[in-house]
Amino acid sequence: MLKGKTALVTGSTSGIGLGIAKALAQQGANIVLNGFGEIEGPKSEVAAFGTQVIYHGADMSKPGEIEDMMKFAASQLGRIDVLVNNAGIQHVAPVEAFPPERWDAIIAINLSSAFHTTRLAIPAMREANWGRIVNVASAHGLVASAQKSAYVAAKHGIVGLTKTVALETATTGITCNAICPGWVLTPLVQKQIDDRAAREGIAVEQAQRELLGEKQPSLQFTTPEQLAALTVFLCSPAADNVRGVAWQVDGGWTAQ
Ligand code: NAD
């Protein structure tokens, strides 16, 4: 379905972003990977689908590096047709104890980076009159939890950005949508489970059950594969007129 197209997925060396990159490659897209940590493993997992895969290590908190990545991608693989804004970090603390530098980093990585990639990707998408922008928001883009002020603010912000971009491109072949996962068992969430187990002196399995029980009525984690399948749907012709949605995949979290 995406043969000959190029997809850039931020934060795609791990977790949800890697799952989405693999699914888009499976659909035939050439892929631009981004993110920290081990690169060669994720790169070969994506390359296994037989399309071109390149990597740029831009730090999503740095607008200059984001610009370099966008230029690099266009020079190597041509126009970015599918942009998935996925990179994200978390920090948990009450607002009065929230370190200001953590606030700034979360807003920069989880929200402002999507503004920069979007503003830089849209001109070529407009020229082609086709494009897909998928923002990985969160259930926290729709409702709040205590101790996550920066994350909740950034995720509500990206849902707002999604709607605005969807309106600005509404008469074109470009769509912009958000997906809103509940708990997904990735390194980002494993850390919260481990912290909880340590804090409460309980087993990791017990901490995992409590985490799900608190918020996610299905008592099951959402998987990167499920989020990747939704992203593929949003890239399909069937989704040509899906614009500005914030689509929950949260086991009922926000239905409560
Ligand atoms: P993860 O920690 O597995 O992956 C995060 C990715 O972002 C990694 O590739 C990491 O290297 C990259 N990254 C972090 N800081 C970066 C920076 N400054 N510049 C470039 N890349 C950077 O986490 P994940 O759970 O897969 O999270 C992916 C997205 O999904 C995030 O936006 C997160 O908020 C969102 N999300 C996750 C969950 C969940 O339960 N795991 C739920 C809802 C939303």
Side-chain angles (χ1 to χ4, degrees):
M1 191 178 73
L2 298 174
K3 200 163 168 25
K5 292 197 162 25
T6 294
L8 184 151
V9 186
T10 69
S12 45
T13 51
S14 166
I16 296 167
L18 178 57
I20 291 175
K22 282 158 68 173
L24 295 176
Q26 192 169 20
Q27 294 298 320
N30 296 322
I31 304 290
V32 188
L33 291 176
N34 157 261
F36 299 152
E38 214 259 301
I39 313 301
E40 285 316 312
K43 207 171 164 186
S44 55
E45 278 184 54
V46 180
F49 294 98
T51 62
Q52 289 186 70
V53 183
I54 62 169
Y55 167 81
H56 193 284
D59 180 337
M60 288 296 117
S61 68
K62 304 208 165 102
E65 293 189 20
I66 296 172
E67 289 200 22
D68 284 349
M69 177 182 73
M70 300 300 280
K71 281 193 198 130
F72 173 75
S75 73
Q76 299 290 305
L77 296 176
R79 175 184 73 239
I80 292 162
D81 303 288
V82 177
L83 169 64
V84 181
N85 290 306
N86 167 79
I89 58 167
Q90 177 62 284
H91 187 82
V92 180
V95 69
E96 68 273 24
F98 213 92
E101 62 281 6
R102 288 283 84 201
W103 170 278
D104 288 344
I106 289 175
I107 299 297
I109 295 164
N110 296 19
L111 175 58
S112 303
S113 71
F115 159 68
H116 292 297
T117 54
T118 300
R119 73 180 171 80
L120 294 165
I122 279 190
M125 288 180 176
R126 278 196 192 278
E127 232 166 78
N129 196 32
W130 197 88
R132 290 291 188 261
I133 302 172
V134 178
N135 293 324
V136 180
S138 167
H140 285 119
L142 303 167
V143 296
S145 294
Q147 310 226 344
K148 294 186 175 174
S149 54
Y151 189 86
V152 169
K155 294 299 185 181
H156 275 66
I158 204 165
V159 169
L161 174 67
T162 301
K163 292 177 185 172
T164 303
V165 173
L167 292 179
E168 291 182 10
T169 55
T171 58
T172 75
I174 306 165
T175 70
C176 180
N177 293 290
I179 60 180
C180 296
W183 294 121
V184 185
L185 194 53
T186 65
L188 183 140
V189 164
Q190 189 62 50
K191 180 175 181 309
Q192 294 175 60
I193 294 169
D194 294 344
D195 289 350
R196 187 184 193 121
R199 197 174 57 242
E200 297 181 9
I202 55 175
V204 169
E205 297 69 31
Q206 170 77 7
Q208 192 169 302
R209 274 196 298 277
E210 283 184 17
L211 183 103
L212 284 170
E214 234 170 51
K215 300 280 185 187
Q216 197 143 306
S218 68
L219 301 178
Q220 284 170 18
F221 287 104
T222 296
T223 65
E225 290 73 23
Q226 290 164 347
L227 299 169
L230 177 55
T231 304
V232 168
F233 167 71
L234 290 172
C235 292
S236 75
D240 275 354
N241 212 23
V242 178
R243 295 172 185 270
V245 304
W247 191 322
Q248 300 100 314
V249 192
D250 66 2
W253 179 326
T254 53
Q256 297 169 97

